[in-house]
Amino acid sequence: MYKTTLTKLGLLGGIATFWVSCDNNMLPYYDEQAPGKIVIRGVVQEDSLQIVSNGSLLKINQHETLGGTISKDYEFVYYNGQARYMDVRVKTTQQLLGSYAFTQENSPDTLSFFYKPGLWINDVLSFSPGTISQSGRTGYKFIFPTLNRYSNSGYDGPIDGIIRNLSGQVLGVAQNITKETFSNFVEFPFAAPPILRMELVKHGTTESYRSNGQPVVVAMVMQNNKSRLVVLEEKQDAGGNFSGVQGTLDLCDFFQF
């Protein structure tokens, strides 16, 4: 006859030891446990996302479909060193936006993202805004996740942004703007009128990134004493044709860096 006697149950971070008795022969079985924690920070501009944790929908504030500002410190248990798998997907289409494997060696870990239809930025908190050197200045970094979505330029290399004021004076150049990473930090004095015009060119040149050579200029408004993480977005007109690039989305308005 078999019977199982529980002699010790370890708390999180400990080891649970079970003794199994079979004809009075006591054999130990070790089930290793370790605390896990994932800091989840996200911004979703409509109620549309789901997070799946090891095959089950994760509830945040009692909701399985997530929108708005998402903030949760997700605590759980790692068993026998097995990874915790998490997917972020769009509920209506089941489109997979991000897939992750978290391990106890890196606990606590972070899952951070920004989403709106047509735009996904992963690992947002791995970035950081630049530090303004003194009062009376303004600073920028740029990322371009939608490069070529509507322009079909054929150019997939890094982009530079030549920043000018309304009089045409060059204030700085943001270099190596890509789909996945932000450019270098560009800083310059704030001045009125606070309007900037940034021309997007192939890296290291003054040549437009568009295949037809037509200039692409982004209009922006300076903000004094503020460092920004600007997301560039290609836009289309009613006919589905490329209509320019917008630079109004600033991740610093949504996240604590």
Side-chain angles (χ1 to χ4, degrees):
M1 179 177 180
Y2 293 83
K3 65 177 181 178
T4 301
T5 304
L6 176 64
T7 61
K8 176 182 177 183
L9 178 60
L11 298 176
L12 290 181
I15 294 178
T17 305
F18 297 87
W19 293 92
V20 181
S21 175
C22 177
D23 295 331
N24 295 322
N25 294 320
M26 303 295 289
L27 300 174
Y29 172 73
Y30 297 94
D31 188 14
E32 182 181 347
Q33 301 179 39
K37 181 178 179 179
I38 301 171
V39 177
I40 302 174
R41 299 292 184 268
V43 172
V44 180
Q45 293 202 331
E46 63 175 33
D47 292 345
S48 57
L49 293 193
Q50 294 177 325
I51 298 177
V52 181
S53 175
N54 276 17
S56 299
L57 285 175
L58 179 64
K59 287 186 178 182
I60 298 180
N61 296 328
Q62 304 304 312
H63 297 291
E64 293 179 343
T65 301
L66 308 176
T69 299
I70 299 168
S71 179
K72 182 178 179 64
D73 292 350
Y74 176 44
E75 297 182 343
F76 54 93
V77 177
Y78 284 110
Y79 292 101
N80 296 325
Q82 296 179 349
R84 169 72 51 158
Y85 296 97
M86 299 184 74
D87 292 336
V88 181
R89 67 191 187 192
V90 181
K91 177 183 179 180
T92 54
T93 64
Q94 294 299 293
Q95 176 189 1
L96 181 65
L97 298 173
S99 187
Y100 311 87
F102 297 96
T103 61
Q104 66 185 61
E105 291 79 12
N106 295 318
S107 185
D109 215 329
T110 301
L111 171 61
S112 59
F113 52 85
F114 179 93
Y115 174 78
K116 70 177 184 178
L119 180 64
W120 164 259
I121 302 175
N122 184 42
D123 205 13
V124 170
L125 293 181
S126 68
F127 306 118
S128 62
T131 301
I132 295 175
S133 61
Q134 58 185 290
S135 180
R137 299 177 72 86
T138 183
Y140 300 84
K141 291 183 180 180
F142 300 91
I143 194 171
F144 202 173
T146 60
L147 174 64
N148 285 328
R149 175 167 296 170
Y150 305 117
S151 64
N152 299 314
S153 72
Y155 176 75
D156 288 319
I159 300 288
D160 291 347
I162 304 173
I163 304 173
R164 297 182 174 90
N165 58 22
L166 288 182
S167 66
Q169 177 188 3
V170 176
L171 301 176
V173 179
Q175 299 183 32
N176 293 307
I177 307 168
T178 72
K179 292 181 178 182
E180 295 85 18
T181 59
F182 277 88
S183 68
N184 65 311
F185 180 57
V186 182
E187 179 193 16
F188 43 85
F190 176 86
I195 306 300
L196 299 174
R197 293 172 59 83
M198 182 171 70
E199 184 178 0
L200 300 179
V201 298
K202 297 177 181 178
H203 174 59
T205 75
T206 57
E207 178 185 350
S208 172
Y209 80 87
R210 293 193 66 190
S211 56
N212 59 12
Q214 291 184 343
V216 179
V217 177
V218 184
M220 297 181 295
V221 178
M222 278 191 284
Q223 293 176 289
N224 196 15
N225 297 319
K226 184 173 182 181
S227 182
R228 305 176 65 194
L229 290 173
V230 176
V231 181
L232 301 176
E233 300 177 74
E234 286 195 349
K235 296 297 182 180
Q236 63 177 340
D237 60 22
N241 300 309
F242 174 73
S243 60
V245 176
Q246 190 175 60
T248 58
L249 175 60
D250 178 9
L251 294 181
C252 293
D253 291 338
F254 301 96
F255 294 89
Q256 297 278 336
F257 291 96

